[in-house]
Amino acid sequence: MAAGAARERPGSETIKEGIERAPHRALLHAVGLTRAELRRPFVAVISAFNEIIPGHRHLREVIQAVKDGIRMAGGVPFECHCPSICDGIAMNHPGMRYSLPSRELIADCAEAMVRAHAFDAVVFVPNCDKVVPGMLLAAARLNLPSVFASGGPMLAGDFRGLKVDLSDVFNALGALRKGEMTPEELEELEGVACPGCGSCAGMFTANTMNCLLEALGLAPSGNGTAPAVSAERLRLAKEAGTAVMRILKDGGPLPREILAPEAFENAFRVDLALGGSTNTVLHLLALAEEAGVPFPLARINELSDSTPRLCALSPAGPHHMEDLHRAGGISAMTGELAGGGLLHLDAPTVSGPLRQRLRRARDREVISPLNSPRSPVGGIAVLFGSLAPEGAVVKRGAVAEGMLRHRGPARVFDSEAEAVRAIGARDFRDGDVIVIRYVGPRGAPGMPEMLTPTALLSGMGVDDRVALVTDGRFSGATRGAAIGHVSPEAACSGPIAAVRDGDRIEIDIPGKRLDLLIPEGEVERRLSAWEPREPDTPPGYLPRYAAQIASAARGAILAKEGG
């Protein structure tokens, strides 16, 4: 949409101007607005504040700073809220089914609040896993002047002189079962791993998405890495408030102008160089579909093969978000990638073209030079083959070298709970490929994260000898040969539904292949006798979600009518 079109869009005058709007103005007076304020733009500040999630517990201060910035620039801010879920707290019980589906609820809630109250512009204040992508979907849908001001990452904890985070606690469960940690040590670790507010300190999904907001161009520089507890975080929030007013005055750039193909390529390149969460594949594909930008899943491999991984951030290495920020953050990452001609530098952002944001890295231990990377290829790969005709995703930057190519017998489970019990009892063998199915977007429903089984394998020290394949997804904290998003999923009669114990599965991450090694025609023969497995789903939102959800290969977005 051209910038001039933004000025023609009906805004808050819809509810403020004319004799027939006297009842509307009466209600606005009731919330304390003066007549002078009624003449100013109305800006929604859509937040995910709540008191149970560490990433959101501190957002009141961030929200207030955003509102201060809006008022400084002549606008009238209105705080609104949407639901949010902590994946860590929801992990490994039925609550995890609601995590990915909450993305659509967040988008719908934001859309409803903004359209019903005729706001002129929006500042989104997210922080955790599904809140950032949910708000991104809303921004693309609304296409109003929009800026993001995230809550920022948690600091790393300190356990006996070692930097730790939430993933270390999950991994400790396996170490405890193996006898390498005592219950007393686990209790000590859990007390220090998450030292305060913010999104968990590694390059997990929340922090990856907050970083990609910068790469996409919808947030100020520093948004992804400035610690939650820092004064810089509050200054960034004020900057977001003033920026949205500037965009409103200038008539753009609007979200769909920013979310062009070049922005998605920039975001994926930064993601690949960071070694970010595999969940970003789901979220960026969903956003591309919402924004009307064609972006096939296979394109990620093309980008990954030409994008070196420059970081080793937890869980794939020793560094944390505070280290990345100290090294220069995403501005330094984009500066390094730009030096190799890997980015579209004229791509618009909320504060000018991307080229204006480039910085030099300040710590080469954290951000490696382009000519001496951690890996010559990016941190994510998409696999295709007879087991995943529509694709599967792996965080190859967190896979042991010896597991990049692996062939082994399948050990099949029809639920996460069954797999966790078997792994906890060491009911598997070295070389096995553990298969967890019926946990996809439709099958679970809700595509829960499989962090507990992967963390058990890591904690037991076998993630370099045992692979895990699933039609579910993984936490950004997952490491090892963990391959998710297998599509089509089992609930949609994908080949993964035909796998039996003992079948040989071949994983070839460099070759981008995932194959079931059984005789030709055997999959079709088995599936001809296959019957759908009804999930144990409580009435309410999840059955409605399952009836509408599209494949993970399309970002698990709600399918449009006829789509």
Side-chain angles (χ1 to χ4, degrees):
M1 180 180 293
R7 300 185 184 95
E8 300 168 5
R9 181 188 293 278
S12 59
E13 66 270 16
T14 303
I15 59 172
K16 294 188 298 190
E17 295 181 1
I19 295 174
E20 71 278 7
R21 298 306 184 215
H24 304 67
R25 291 192 295 272
L27 291 168
L28 294 169
H29 286 312
V31 299
L33 294 190
T34 65
R35 293 194 181 277
E37 287 176 306
L38 289 178
R39 293 191 289 272
R40 299 174 187 165
F42 283 6
V43 182
V45 180
I46 299 192
S47 152
F49 168 78
N50 60 72
E51 295 185 331
I52 192 170
I53 303 178
H56 299 168
R57 182 68 175 79
H58 66 302
L59 287 187
R60 277 177 172 154
E61 281 190 284
V62 179
I63 294 162
Q64 186 57 53
V66 169
K67 291 159 69 175
D68 289 345
I70 292 168
R71 287 195 177 97
M72 286 162 54
V76 182
F78 292 87
E79 185 178 331
C80 310
H81 295 273
C82 66
S84 58
I85 287 173
C86 175
D87 280 22
I89 296 174
M91 194 71 64
N92 194 28
H93 63 86
M96 177 45 76
R97 298 186 194 180
Y98 289 88
S99 174
L100 183 60
S102 75
R103 184 185 72 181
E104 316 308 319
L105 285 177
I106 291 160
D108 290 348
C109 286
E111 174 196 358
M113 286 298 297
V114 171
R115 293 215 189 279
H117 300 103
F119 285 109
D120 298 293
V122 190
V123 177
F124 293 96
V125 185
N127 217 31
C128 288
D129 291 24
K130 307 309 165 293
V131 183
V132 180
M135 290 184 177
L136 275 169
L137 294 177
R141 193 178 300 171
L142 293 164
N143 205 34
L144 292 170
S146 300
V147 180
F148 282 72
S150 301
M154 186 186 292
L155 296 174
D158 184 283
F159 179 66
R160 302 183 179 185
L162 297 175
K163 281 189 173 183
V164 293
D165 56 47
L166 182 66
S167 67
D168 293 288
V169 185
F170 275 99
N171 292 337
L173 300 178
L176 182 72
R177 284 180 166 86
K178 197 178 178 184
E180 294 181 349
M181 176 174 272
T182 67
E184 292 74 24
E185 288 172 326
L186 176 60
E187 184 176 0
E188 180 185 346
L189 174 62
E190 72 177 65
V192 299
C194 299
C197 63
S199 46
C200 296
M203 187 50 70
F204 312 142
T205 304
N207 288 327
T208 307
M209 290 302 302
N210 282 327
C211 288
L212 296 191
L213 285 171
E214 291 188 52
L216 285 167
L218 285 165
S221 295
N223 180 79
T225 57
V229 295
S230 66
E232 182 179 357
R233 178 58 54 184
L234 301 181
R235 293 194 296 269
L236 284 170
K238 288 181 183 177
E239 181 183 336
T242 57
V244 82
M245 292 300 297
R246 182 179 65 251
I247 293 168
L248 179 61
K249 179 181 178 181
D250 293 346
L254 299 179
R256 286 185 203 159
E257 294 173 296
I258 292 173
L259 295 172
E262 294 80 5
F264 286 94
E265 291 200 359
N266 286 344
F268 270 118
R269 291 234 190 240
V270 170
D271 188 12
L272 293 162
L274 287 170
S277 166
T278 53
N279 282 316
T280 58
V281 175
L282 282 176
H283 301 323
L284 289 180
L285 288 179
L287 178 62
E289 185 152 333
E290 187 70 56
V293 175
F295 205 98
L297 186 61
R299 175 66 177 137
I300 297 170
N301 281 337
E302 298 172 14
L303 295 172
S304 188
D305 286 346
S306 59
T307 306
R309 182 168 61 89
L310 304 180
C311 293
L313 296 154
S314 175
H319 300 130
H320 292 83
M321 296 305 297
E322 62 206 68
D323 302 312
L324 179 59
H325 187 64
R326 187 187 67 253
I330 301 307
S331 293
M333 285 291 296
T334 52
E336 196 64 31
L337 293 172
L342 297 176
L343 297 179
H344 301 280
L345 299 182
D346 291 325
T349 78
V350 293
S351 55
L354 184 67
R355 67 174 63 254
Q356 295 179 356
R357 296 182 167 202
L358 308 182
R359 299 289 184 272
R360 288 183 178 275
R362 296 192 290 262
D363 187 336
R364 288 306 193 178
E365 285 296 313
V366 179
I367 301 176
S368 298
L370 202 64
N371 60 5
S372 182
R374 298 275 178 170
S375 167
V377 294
I380 293 175
V382 179
L383 313 183
F384 296 91
S386 61
L387 188 53
E390 294 178 1
V393 180
V394 61
K395 189 173 185 176
R396 67 176 166 189
V399 179
E401 184 70 24
M403 292 298 291
L404 291 173
R405 289 186 173 91
H406 177 75
R407 182 183 292 185
R411 182 80 170 84
V412 183
F413 302 94
D414 286 345
S415 73
E416 180 188 13
E418 292 175 20
V420 167
R421 283 194 295 270
I423 293 170
R426 199 51 167 87
D427 185 14
F428 61 89
R429 295 178 179 178
D430 286 358
D432 279 356
V433 178
I434 294 172
V435 176
I436 307 177
R437 62 190 179 191
Y438 296 106
V439 288
R442 187 168 295 177
M447 204 179 185
E449 289 184 346
M450 302 289 113
L451 176 56
T452 298
T454 57
L456 285 171
L457 293 171
S458 295
M460 290 175 172
V462 298
D463 59 343
D464 61 347
R465 303 190 295 278
V466 176
L468 195 152
V469 173
T470 180
D471 52 10
R473 60 192 180 91
F474 295 112
S475 165
T478 289
R479 69 184 188 204
I483 299 166
H485 308 194
V486 171
S487 301
E489 62 177 294
C492 295
S493 70
I496 193 172
V499 182
R500 294 177 181 172
D501 280 340
D503 287 344
R504 306 287 286 180
I505 292 175
E506 183 170 41
I507 298 164
D508 181 359
I509 294 174
K512 317 297 192 309
R513 297 289 305 180
L514 180 64
D515 289 295
L516 180 60
L517 305 180
I518 59 177
E520 186 176 353
E522 179 64 11
V523 168
E524 291 76 10
R525 188 187 67 78
R526 292 180 188 180
L527 289 179
S528 67
W530 174 84
E531 294 183 1
R533 180 178 180 272
E534 290 298 323
D536 180 18
T537 307
Y541 176 50
L542 289 182
R544 298 198 305 274
Y545 175 86
Q548 302 177 69
I549 201 64
S551 165
R554 291 178 55 196
I557 201 164
L558 291 181
K560 295 177 174 60
E561 188 172 345

